[in-house]
Amino acid sequence: MKQIKEMLKNKNFYLYILICVTFFGIFCKMEYATDTYSVLETPFKNMLIHFISSGRLVTACWYAVYKVFSLSNNIAYIVSFILAIISTSISIYKLENIFSKDIKSKAISILAAVLIIINIFSIELYLFIEKGILMLSILFCVCAVEKLIKYFEGDKKSLVWVFLYMLLANFSYQGTVGIFVSIALLYIVKYTKDLKSFVTNTIVTGLGYGIPALINYVSVRFIFVNNRVNGANNFLESITKIITGTKSMMLSTFEIMPKYLFMTLVAILSLIIVYNIVKNNIKGKKKIWLILGMIMIVIGNFVVTIFPQIMQNTASIWFVPRSTYTFAALLGILLVYLFMNTEVNVKLEKVLLIALVIYLSIQYVSFQNISRDRYILNYIDNYTIMQIQEKIENYEKETQNKVSKISFYEGNSKKYTYPKLFVNGDTNIKAFYPEWSRLNAINYYLNRKLENVEKDEKIEEDYFKDKIWEYYNDEQIIIVGDTVHMFIY
């Protein structure tokens, strides 16, 4: 309670809220991912089981409250959005407080905290209805780091809190928990006095990350049973997918930022760190240790990003921003390392501030473009389904037949999204692209319970195959008897 009062009295906390609203405030209006339609339309028990079997018990609790108290979809979304903004703001607040003990420049410690928490991959965490829980998982990781540092400083009881917070983080969302290790590595370097302390601190950090993750993994694999970890594994195919995904993550950053920009800045910052370590008046052994420490942080960040992908079955390996969130924090973490361990002259500090603020500005523009396209996508999906509704209602009036079924037909040129919209991975896929999303989206917007039935081969042969299909074609659907036959373009 005392910490909350201190936070609310701190003017910087409101600055962090403003920063979060600047980047993500556009999402105050409800938006829809393909998964959102499933959350809204899947029967309560089935959806609850899905979250539980995915090891996301905190999300399951949120979903249960949302349904048991009969909250409207809009209210549930707004609550989730507010929780996301608050969790993001508190994460920045806590992290900046941690950094400010080792970094003299307030501007740098704030900038570093923002670069880590609102990194370039954070945008996708805001594109799901459970965004509040996704960002809460990051807050739990930051709280775990806070307690781990207290342990390094001699408070052994704090270790219990590390495990508790990391359990909560894992049962909120597993894709972000690597951020705990990535930040903790900074303090392993700081609190290493000799080989024994290094080994001890590394093992404790590893256990703080590994045991809660193992508990979550075991619950998913053996208790709740989820196909992501229980499916078939093809070693060569898995390696190929991991290599391809890693390239996309590192070089193109999933097209969120200009190609090579992120890794170029990481490389430049790494070189500056090495230069400053060599140039500064630091003893020989410590110089070597600090350079090795930087290498350890880079490798450690990469490992905790990639490792969760290795643990999944081959079909489930899927590199997207939300599951590789930790990697994008590397830039901010290296900035902290530079100012924690070396003397940085005023001129270089100003150059870094200007360069990284420009970087954040580019990131902001990219986020807004993605966000804008998300709402355009939702509008086109809605508009298309409203056209279907009009045709169904006219048909029912004319024939007195009640439409209760729908069948889907796919063309060879089925599109991932609509023209000129940003799309990458799972971001901004149109509602009709995934097989499992179509019916949920249509039922949601039509407020009906249409039943998905197998396609009629005769109708497909006689009607669909000879048609030339274009976007918004009036003949996108035909209705026969009680069934809508829809072509997916």
Side-chain angles (χ1 to χ4, degrees):
M1 197 65 184
K2 182 183 176 182
Q3 287 184 336
I4 294 173
K5 287 181 179 179
E6 288 177 358
M7 181 177 70
L8 294 176
K9 288 179 181 179
N10 192 318
K11 292 179 181 178
N12 285 333
F13 176 64
Y14 299 98
L15 170 64
Y16 307 143
I17 292 176
L18 179 61
I19 292 170
C20 292
V21 170
T22 299
F23 274 92
F24 303 114
I26 190 172
F27 294 122
C28 64
K29 183 180 184 297
M30 191 164 181
E31 44 78 29
Y32 303 88
T34 49
D35 295 61
T36 305
Y37 298 117
S38 294
V39 174
L40 300 177
E41 285 297 312
T42 302
F44 170 71
K45 184 179 178 181
N46 293 356
M47 199 68 227
L48 191 66
I49 290 172
H50 167 75
F51 283 133
I52 293 172
S53 65
S54 298
R56 296 171 61 187
L57 300 185
V58 176
T59 310
C61 291
W62 166 82
Y63 178 73
V65 169
Y66 151 46
K67 287 296 185 180
V68 168
F69 286 92
S70 300
L71 299 177
S72 70
N73 295 331
N74 281 324
I75 293 296
Y77 179 89
I78 289 297
V79 169
S80 183
F81 169 75
I82 292 171
L83 178 59
I85 292 294
I86 291 172
S87 297
T88 309
S89 303
I90 297 175
S91 296
I92 295 171
Y93 171 82
K94 282 184 170 292
L95 206 54
E96 193 281 321
N97 278 351
I98 292 170
F99 294 157
S100 64
K101 295 173 184 176
D102 297 294
I103 298 176
K104 296 175 184 177
S105 170
K106 191 72 173 176
I108 290 293
S109 63
I110 291 173
L111 181 60
V114 171
L115 284 168
I116 292 170
I117 301 301
I118 307 181
N119 66 50
I120 56 175
F121 292 169
S122 63
I123 179 67
E124 196 180 37
L125 298 173
Y126 270 82
L127 295 177
F128 295 88
I129 191 171
E130 65 271 28
K131 53 177 63 69
I133 306 301
L134 298 180
M135 296 311 299
L136 187 63
S137 67
I138 295 169
L139 176 56
F140 286 141
C141 290
V142 173
C143 290
V145 170
E146 192 177 42
K147 294 298 181 182
L148 181 68
I149 293 170
K150 288 187 180 296
Y151 169 81
F152 288 162
E153 291 172 346
D155 184 1
K156 304 303 180 185
K157 293 180 182 178
S158 294
L159 198 56
V160 175
W161 285 102
V162 173
F163 286 104
L164 179 60
Y165 281 128
M166 288 307 294
L167 268 176
L168 289 170
N170 275 277
F171 282 107
S172 296
Y173 179 59
Q174 301 93 331
T176 59
V177 295
I179 196 69
F180 165 76
V181 174
S182 201
I183 299 170
L185 287 169
L186 290 166
Y187 293 91
I188 290 177
V189 174
K190 177 184 175 180
Y191 288 98
T192 291
K193 297 175 181 177
D194 49 37
L195 181 61
K196 181 181 178 181
S197 63
F198 169 73
V199 172
T200 301
N201 291 344
T202 302
I203 290 174
V204 168
T205 302
L207 292 176
Y209 169 79
I211 292 176
L214 182 62
I215 292 171
N216 183 268
Y217 179 81
V218 169
S219 70
V220 169
R221 185 172 179 86
F222 299 108
I223 301 175
F224 305 129
V225 185
N226 184 279
N227 290 331
R228 283 185 179 272
V229 295
N230 285 290
N233 279 293
N234 181 313
F235 179 75
L236 290 178
E237 187 179 344
S238 292
I239 293 298
T240 301
K241 290 180 77 172
I242 287 170
I243 292 171
T244 302
T246 300
K247 286 181 180 178
S248 178
M249 174 188 75
M250 293 178 68
L251 303 181
S252 69
T253 52
F254 305 114
E255 300 179 5
I256 294 171
M257 296 290 275
K259 198 171 185 179
Y260 307 123
L261 177 61
F262 179 82
M263 287 307 298
T264 299
L265 289 176
V266 165
I268 291 171
L269 207 49
S270 299
L271 290 173
I272 291 172
I273 290 170
V274 173
Y275 176 80
N276 266 27
I277 290 171
V278 173
K279 183 184 176 185
N280 286 175
N281 187 25
I282 301 172
K283 293 181 181 179
K285 285 186 178 180
K286 191 173 182 182
K287 281 185 180 181
I288 295 171
W289 167 238
L290 288 178
I291 292 172
L292 289 175
M294 185 199 74
I295 295 170
M296 179 181 72
I297 284 170
V298 173
I299 293 174
N301 174 279
F302 181 79
V303 169
V304 294
T305 300
I306 303 301
F307 183 72
Q309 300 287 343
I310 298 171
M311 298 301 290
Q312 298 187 85
N313 68 64
T314 302
S316 297
I317 295 173
W318 183 231
F319 278 69
V320 286
R322 67 183 183 276
S323 65
T324 55
Y325 170 84
T326 299
F327 179 74
L330 182 59
L331 189 62
I333 287 167
L334 287 175
L335 183 66
V336 175
Y337 193 81
L338 172 65
F339 280 83
M340 275 181 68
N341 297 292
T342 71
E343 290 293 328
V344 180
N345 64 55
V346 176
K347 187 177 179 180
L348 177 59
E349 181 180 329
K350 287 181 179 178
V351 170
L352 288 172
L353 274 171
I354 293 169
L356 292 174
V357 167
I358 291 172
Y359 171 84
L360 277 175
S361 300
I362 297 170
Q363 178 182 326
Y364 169 78
V365 172
S366 177
F367 278 20
Q368 298 314 298
N369 288 338
I370 293 169
S371 308
R372 177 204 61 203
D373 286 357
R374 164 53 62 92
Y375 285 105
I376 293 173
L377 171 87
N378 290 164
Y379 174 82
I380 298 174
D381 282 340
N382 187 8
Y383 176 75
T384 303
I385 294 172
M386 289 304 101
Q387 287 184 314
I388 295 171
Q389 181 181 40
E390 184 179 356
K391 291 176 182 179
I392 290 174
E393 289 175 350
N394 290 338
Y395 174 81
E396 288 178 333
K397 287 178 183 177
E398 291 171 7
T399 65
Q400 302 303 309
N401 289 335
K402 181 68 175 176
V403 173
S404 60
K405 300 173 185 176
I406 189 166
S407 183
F408 298 102
Y409 304 77
E410 296 183 5
N412 294 328
S413 58
K414 182 180 67 168
K415 301 296 190 299
Y416 209 45
T417 192
Y418 302 107
K420 298 181 180 180
L421 297 186
F422 175 92
V423 62
N424 191 286
D426 294 326
T427 301
N428 291 351
I429 303 174
K430 66 181 183 180
F432 303 118
Y433 183 84
E435 292 181 12
W436 49 265
S437 171
R438 299 164 189 166
L439 183 64
N440 287 323
I442 289 170
N443 281 337
Y444 173 74
Y445 285 118
L446 296 186
N447 196 25
R448 288 176 178 248
K449 291 297 178 185
L450 297 180
E451 177 189 353
N452 192 4
V453 295
E454 292 293 325
K455 61 185 180 181
D456 187 310
E457 292 183 4
K458 189 173 188 310
I459 287 178
E460 182 179 34
E461 183 178 349
D462 293 347
Y463 188 82
F464 286 121
K465 283 188 176 179
D466 295 329
K467 297 290 181 180
I468 299 174
W469 297 92
E470 296 179 357
Y471 291 106
Y472 321 122
N473 192 310
D474 286 338
E475 296 178 304
Q476 178 186 332
I477 69 167
I478 63 170
I479 305 174
V480 180
D482 64 350
T483 305
V484 175
H485 297 270
M486 180 178 182
F487 187 85
I488 306 299
Y489 45 78

